[in-house]
């Protein structure tokens, strides 16, 4: 089930990022707006666009979050592999799981090391 969801999420996220998807949404809004006088700008007419956009937004939030989570995990794995294969300290692998204060401590250590290198250069 997870693989199927990932495939669907990626396909939808990819498709909705295309110009034709924006054009379709814009055309839908224009058609909806154009039908306003026909329906006397009724509450039902307004409810159609409100309901449609709410449902689409609700579903897209989950699809986008899924895609971003997978992309972030893939990038983190690539960075970890670069750290492991290079001369960098392996202390930095997994710091994304630390608290903000602990990450800030790592950043301060990096800044201090850079200042020392600059002073010695």
């Amino acid at each position: 089930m997870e693989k199927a969801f990932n495939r669907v999420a990626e396909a939808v996220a990819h498709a909705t990022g295309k110009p034709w998807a924006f054009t379709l949404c814009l055309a839908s809004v224009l058609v909806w707006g154009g039908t306003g006088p026909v329906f006397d700008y009724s509450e039902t007419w307004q409810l159609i666009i409100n309901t449609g956009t709410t449902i689409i937004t609700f579903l897209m939030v989950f699809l986008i979050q899924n895609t971003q989570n997978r992309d972030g995990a893939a990038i983190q794995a690539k960075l970890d592999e670069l750290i492991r294969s290079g001369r960098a300290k392996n202390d930095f692998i997994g710091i994304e799981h630390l608290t903000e204060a602990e990450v800030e401590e790592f950043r301060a250590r990096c800044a201090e090391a850079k200042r020392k290198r600059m002073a010695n250069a």
Side-chain angles (χ1 to χ4, degrees), residues 106-121:
F106 268 98
R107 292 182 73 204
R109 285 175 40 196
C110 289
E112 182 60 31
K114 181 180 177 182
R115 279 193 289 279
K116 287 180 182 178
R117 257 195 325 270
M118 298 300 277
N120 292 335

Side-chain angles (χ1 to χ4, degrees), residues 32 41-55:
W32 171 79
Y41 301 98
S42 68
E43 288 184 20
T44 303
W45 174 80
Q46 293 177 32
L47 187 61
I48 288 171
I49 196 74
N50 290 339
T51 303
T53 56
T54 300
I55 291 169

Side-chain angles (χ1 to χ4, degrees), residues 70-117:
R70 284 186 291 117
D71 287 350
I75 289 170
Q76 195 59 53
K78 291 173 185 179
L79 290 172
D80 288 350
E81 184 56 29
L82 286 172
I83 292 169
R84 267 193 287 283
S85 66
R87 296 179 186 202
K89 286 184 149 185
N90 287 343
D91 296 349
F92 291 95
I93 294 175
I95 66 170
E96 68 276 7
H97 301 292
L98 300 177
T99 65
E100 256 186 82
E102 291 168 326
V103 171
E104 190 54 43
E105 182 181 323
F106 268 98
R107 292 182 73 204
R109 285 175 40 196
C110 289
E112 182 60 31
K114 181 180 177 182
R115 279 193 289 279
K116 287 180 182 178
R117 257 195 325 270

